[in-house]
């Protein structure tokens, strides 16, 4: 597929990224850059409007200012949801009822929900993996299994409207999978 055909497929698509402090820097910034370059409008939602800080593995990384709060975000306003990993980010968000409700709203509407690395913890909390195939960072794969998923060790897994990936090295295939789902809508 030519780049112009791909861009036409997601031009005008609206993608929401949801994160908080402790997100893995590359898992937010790299998909954001690719999606924008391919023609999507991308917004960031966080619990508050104050800047959130990335990690690069466990070291502090860049900061980014959210465009809206999770409470202000609505699945009706977006075509897809992206959930970066990092350890602290999903661990914090999975105790946020509004964050989990937002994830369920995207999934319930049949919209793509893409989670990478530790991000699938949020899919576990939202009870979206029962009977699905998924992947994630090795240390949380038991959590996915216990939530009813068939867990595989692959760069990217697409099961219906859910996309999962293992780690930062998988960002390319992960983002391409999300773009593919956006194109098929």
């Amino acid at each position: 597929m030519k780049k112009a055909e791909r861009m036409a497929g997601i031009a005008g698509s609206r993608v929401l990224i949801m994160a908080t402090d402790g997100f893995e820097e590359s898992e937010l910034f790299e998909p954001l850059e690719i999606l924008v370059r391919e023609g999507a409008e991308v917004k960031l939602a966080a619990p508050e409007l104050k800047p959130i800080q990335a990690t690069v593995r466990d070291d502090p990384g860049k900061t980014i200012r959210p465009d809206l709060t999770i409470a202000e975000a609505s699945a009706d306003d977006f075509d897809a949801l992206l959930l970066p990993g990092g350890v602290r980010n999903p661990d914090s968000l999975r105790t946020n009822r509004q964050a989990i409700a937002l994830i369920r709203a995207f999934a319930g509407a049949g919209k793509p929900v893409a989670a990478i690395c530790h991000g699938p913890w949020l899919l576990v909390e939202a009870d979206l993996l029962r009977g699905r195939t998924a992947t994630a960072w090795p240390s949380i794969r038991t959590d996915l299994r216990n939530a009813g998923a068939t867990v595989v060790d692959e760069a990217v897994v697409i099961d219906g409207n859910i996309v999962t990936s293992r780690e930062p090295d998988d960002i390319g295939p992960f983002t391409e999978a999300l773009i593919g789902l956006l194109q098929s809508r």
Side-chain angles (χ1 to χ4, degrees):
M1 182 179 301
K2 296 177 191 164
K3 185 175 179 180
E5 291 171 347
R6 282 198 342 220
M7 282 185 64
I10 68 165
S13 294
R14 298 192 76 218
V15 178
L16 182 67
I17 299 175
M18 184 170 55
T20 193
D21 288 321
F23 65 89
E24 184 65 34
E25 184 173 289
S26 62
E27 295 171 2
L28 187 151
F29 285 102
E30 288 180 33
L32 169 66
E33 180 182 313
I34 294 167
L35 291 165
V36 168
R37 186 176 63 233
E38 294 293 328
E41 178 185 349
V42 183
K43 299 289 183 185
L44 173 62
E48 300 175 16
L49 288 177
K50 67 179 185 167
I52 57 175
Q53 183 162 26
T55 57
V56 178
R57 299 293 180 190
D58 293 325
D59 295 325
K62 296 187 224 176
T63 61
I64 186 171
R65 182 174 297 280
D67 299 295
L68 67 164
T69 66
I70 293 168
E72 295 169 328
S74 171
D76 293 339
D77 296 333
F78 296 93
D79 301 302
L81 177 63
L82 191 149
L83 304 168
V87 177
R88 287 188 1 237
N89 167 55
D91 192 48
S92 175
L93 288 177
R94 68 186 183 160
T95 63
N96 181 315
R97 287 188 311 235
Q98 292 173 320
I100 300 308
L102 185 59
I103 294 166
R104 287 180 179 145
F106 272 91
K111 295 180 179 185
V113 177
I116 187 168
C117 197
H118 287 75
W121 257 343
L122 293 165
L123 305 179
V124 168
E125 194 64 36
D127 195 24
L128 296 178
L129 295 180
R130 193 172 316 282
R132 293 188 184 255
T133 300
T135 194
W137 185 255
S139 68
I140 70 165
R141 291 181 186 162
T142 298
D143 297 333
L144 274 63
R145 255 186 235 96
N146 289 341
T150 299
V151 178
V152 296
D153 185 12
E154 295 176 14
V156 65
V157 175
I158 302 169
D159 189 329
N161 62 324
I162 304 291
V163 177
T164 52
S165 281
R166 303 171 298 191
E167 61 186 43
D169 289 343
D170 300 333
I171 290 169
F174 170 72
T175 308
E176 284 298 318
L178 177 57
I179 289 169
L181 287 179
L182 283 166
Q183 289 172 323
S184 67
R185 291 188 55 79

